[in-house]
Amino acid sequence: MAYNAWFSCINGCPGEFDLREVIYRCPTCGDLLEVQHDVDALRARSAAAWIQLFDDRYRRNVYPYGSGVWGKKEWVVPFIDNQNIVSMYEGNSNLLWADRYGKQLRVEDLWIKQCGNSHTGSFKDLGMTVLVSVVKEMMVSGAPIDAVACALAGDTSAALGAYCAAAGIPAVVLLPKDRVSIAQLVQPLANGALVLSLDTDFDGCMAIVQEITKEKRIYLANSMNSLRIEGQKTVAIEIVQQFDWEVPDWIVIPGGNLGNVHALGQGFIMMQDLGLVNRLPRICLAQAERANPLYRSFQDDFKHFEPVTAQPTLATAIQIGNPVSVKRAIRTLQRFNGVVEQASEQELADEAARADRTGMFNCPHTGVALAALRKLVDRKVIRSSERVVVLSTANGLKFADQKAAYHMGTLEGIKPAHRNKPVELPADAKRVARAIARHVEKARALLS
């Protein structure tokens, strides 16, 4: 069966554009594009047959179908040559049953989608495998592309550096100076990308990368490029697949540039359109209080939206005051009966630490989502009986310095309520034994 997909304007302007064309915005209205699929052709295969196909491919070693993204190839980029797919077998990340933490929150059925358990340690791999694969196919076909460039967060840069290195394509990364962790910075460096550290913020980097990619020889890899959405939407399909094709009640997503909320929404809608599911979950979009333009808009039922100047936040990847995908995100939240919540620096730091005490190791962006979840549970917006999935976007090891500073009490502006500082003792067995006894007693008190 021949399936097809193409770019079209999110506002419905006329025109269809090949996914292999260097185009990011609608030539008529200037707004973003999104990928459309030939749903009628996809309906020729029954819902049961799609489920069987996806389950048969899950975690298998037949390239590239063992990938969490390319196992759904017909729903992503159906016509791409498998020889041009650049995959690290991304996706298929585990759903962690947060039983103990859920009990503390009074949520009986809480799960954490561990998207940080991926090749470069974040969900960005899911979109980057699609984008770099399409670029490789374009270059093989003779397109005059010299390099792929991105701005914004360290996770995006890490994914771009790795996938371009695997494809043999030059990568260019624009980062705000001193705004990303060493763990994030070292990844594109190690993979051979040209890393440009600019004296500006994330929004300033975005403005520059859009300027340098006007000439089509440098391909834009930021989230305004809708190819990445196609990879990220597979998270929604994975979640449902991991629940034996049942839809959870809530998805909680940390948001900066807001592509992810649209991406997951697209995944759920596609499953509903093709009969794999019969309902949609509700969505909570969680923002850092210091970069919260969508939260502010939600207070007015999205009647108005105003960009903000994002302030420094521990959740560096979502420190974005003028998100590219805001229109798509609002439409998604309205369709999914969604809500927007925010978290202060103190709240996100403490919530990440509180969850870590139950066995996790959370990035600060997941801390934002968990803090938002707590607020919704406290207000009874989310009921204790509902199945909730929180999207964990990155591996906590990328933020080891930040987490260590929390526990040492040196994280600026934060009073760590769940601090766990090393205990320094002389090499004395009795002193060690007494310290252990105090620790066990304290642990028992917390559990009681």
Side-chain angles (χ1 to χ4, degrees):
M1 178 68 68
Y3 304 111
N4 195 19
W6 56 90
F7 287 128
S8 65
C9 176
I10 65 170
N11 297 321
C13 293
E16 296 179 359
F17 310 96
D18 194 297
L19 299 187
R20 292 157 293 197
E21 184 175 345
V22 183
I23 185 170
Y24 316 112
R25 291 189 178 274
C26 172
T28 301
C29 71
D31 216 327
L32 295 180
L33 302 171
E34 62 185 357
V35 177
Q36 297 286 346
H37 288 263
D38 186 346
V39 177
D40 288 337
L42 292 170
R43 285 197 183 105
R45 189 191 297 260
S46 70
W50 281 120
I51 288 173
Q52 185 65 55
L53 179 65
F54 294 161
D55 283 346
D56 287 345
R57 290 173 174 175
Y58 186 69
R59 294 183 179 272
R60 297 295 190 265
N61 289 326
V62 178
Y63 191 87
Y65 300 112
S67 158
V69 172
W70 296 110
K72 285 81 176 174
K73 179 185 174 184
E74 295 84 356
W75 292 23
V76 179
V77 184
F79 51 75
I80 193 169
D81 189 331
N82 284 355
Q83 296 296 316
N84 295 325
I85 290 176
V86 185
S87 175
M88 310 283 193
Y89 271 35
E90 51 288 312
N92 292 329
S93 57
N94 62 306
L95 268 173
L96 179 116
W97 182 36
D99 180 40
R100 185 177 166 211
Y101 179 65
K103 288 176 180 175
Q104 293 176 7
L105 281 177
R106 302 180 306 283
V107 178
E108 299 170 4
D109 202 4
L110 176 62
W111 301 78
I112 314 296
K113 179 61 171 169
Q114 301 281 62
C115 292
N117 293 352
S118 191
H119 180 69
T120 71
S122 86
F123 78 94
K124 303 288 188 177
D125 292 349
L126 305 172
M128 205 59 72
T129 181
V130 176
L131 185 144
V132 173
S133 296
V134 172
V135 171
K136 183 179 178 182
E137 179 142 315
M138 293 163 66
M139 295 175 72
V140 167
S141 300
I145 296 173
D146 295 328
V148 184
C150 79
L152 279 176
D155 292 336
T156 304
S157 307
L160 179 66
Y163 282 85
C164 280
I169 299 172
V172 180
V173 169
L174 280 65
L175 291 176
K177 185 178 179 181
D178 300 327
R179 303 282 183 95
V180 300
S181 72
I182 292 297
Q184 291 174 306
L185 176 62
V186 75
Q187 289 180 279
L189 291 174
N191 289 133
L194 171 63
V195 178
L196 303 174
S197 181
L198 305 184
D199 189 14
T200 184
D201 59 10
F202 288 113
D203 293 319
C205 288
M206 174 63 89
I208 292 174
V209 80
Q210 290 183 62
E211 184 66 28
I212 65 173
T213 53
K214 286 180 179 178
E215 295 295 328
K216 295 185 178 182
R217 299 190 72 92
I218 301 177
Y219 192 84
L220 179 65
N222 275 95
S223 59
M224 64 184 289
N225 188 319
S226 295
L227 287 173
R228 284 178 49 191
I229 298 296
E230 292 305 288
Q232 290 165 206
K233 80 181 183 188
T234 61
V235 176
I237 306 169
E238 276 185 29
I239 289 170
V240 175
Q241 185 177 21
Q242 288 169 312
F243 285 130
D244 293 327
W245 302 98
E246 292 184 4
V247 178
D249 298 300
W250 280 90
I251 306 288
V252 184
I253 307 170
N257 237 347
L258 306 180
N260 231 0
V261 65
H262 170 65
L264 267 75
Q266 290 294 91
F268 283 111
I269 289 168
M270 201 164 182
M271 285 187 287
Q272 186 181 55
D273 286 347
L274 292 170
L276 279 72
V277 303
N278 57 15
R279 68 183 183 93
L280 301 175
R282 295 190 69 184
I283 291 178
C284 167
L285 190 283
Q287 291 203 295
E289 189 178 85
R290 293 183 175 180
N292 64 349
L294 195 64
Y295 173 79
R296 297 184 185 196
S297 179
F298 177 68
Q299 305 311 301
D300 191 31
D301 293 325
F302 300 127
K303 293 175 184 174
H304 305 284
F305 176 84
E306 293 292 336
V308 300
T309 300
Q311 302 302 311
T313 171
L314 297 171
T316 53
I318 57 176
Q319 185 184 321
I320 299 167
N322 189 16
V324 170
S325 295
V326 60
K327 188 179 290 187
R328 297 188 294 192
I330 289 173
R331 290 177 181 176
T332 299
L333 289 166
Q334 289 173 331
R335 180 161 182 176
F336 283 72
N337 190 21
V339 300
V340 186
E341 188 51 83
Q342 67 176 358
S344 69
E345 297 301 289
Q346 186 70 54
E347 288 168 341
L348 75 88
D350 279 339
E351 204 60 48
R354 185 183 284 116
D356 286 352
R357 287 292 188 96
T358 67
M360 298 183 229
F361 195 67
N362 291 295
C363 70
H365 318 96
T366 307
V368 172
L370 295 174
L373 170 62
R374 179 175 290 275
K375 291 181 176 183
L376 294 180
V377 172
D378 287 346
R379 297 204 307 268
K380 294 182 171 50
V381 176
I382 293 178
R383 299 188 297 273
S384 62
S385 60
E386 291 181 302
R387 172 171 283 177
V388 180
V389 177
V390 175
L391 204 69
S392 179
T393 58
N395 196 305
L397 288 171
K398 290 193 174 192
F399 302 89
D401 289 347
Q402 184 186 114
K403 295 174 80 65
Y406 175 93
H407 289 289
M408 297 302 293
T410 58
L411 198 56
E412 186 177 355
I414 300 298
K415 296 180 179 179
H418 306 281
R419 180 181 180 184
N420 187 23
K421 188 178 179 181
V423 178
E424 297 182 358
L425 293 174
D428 183 305
K430 291 183 179 179
R431 295 280 296 275
V432 169
R434 286 198 293 271
I436 293 171
R438 286 194 296 270
H439 176 74
V440 171
E441 184 179 357
K442 183 177 179 181
R444 286 173 177 167
L446 289 172
L447 288 171
S448 63

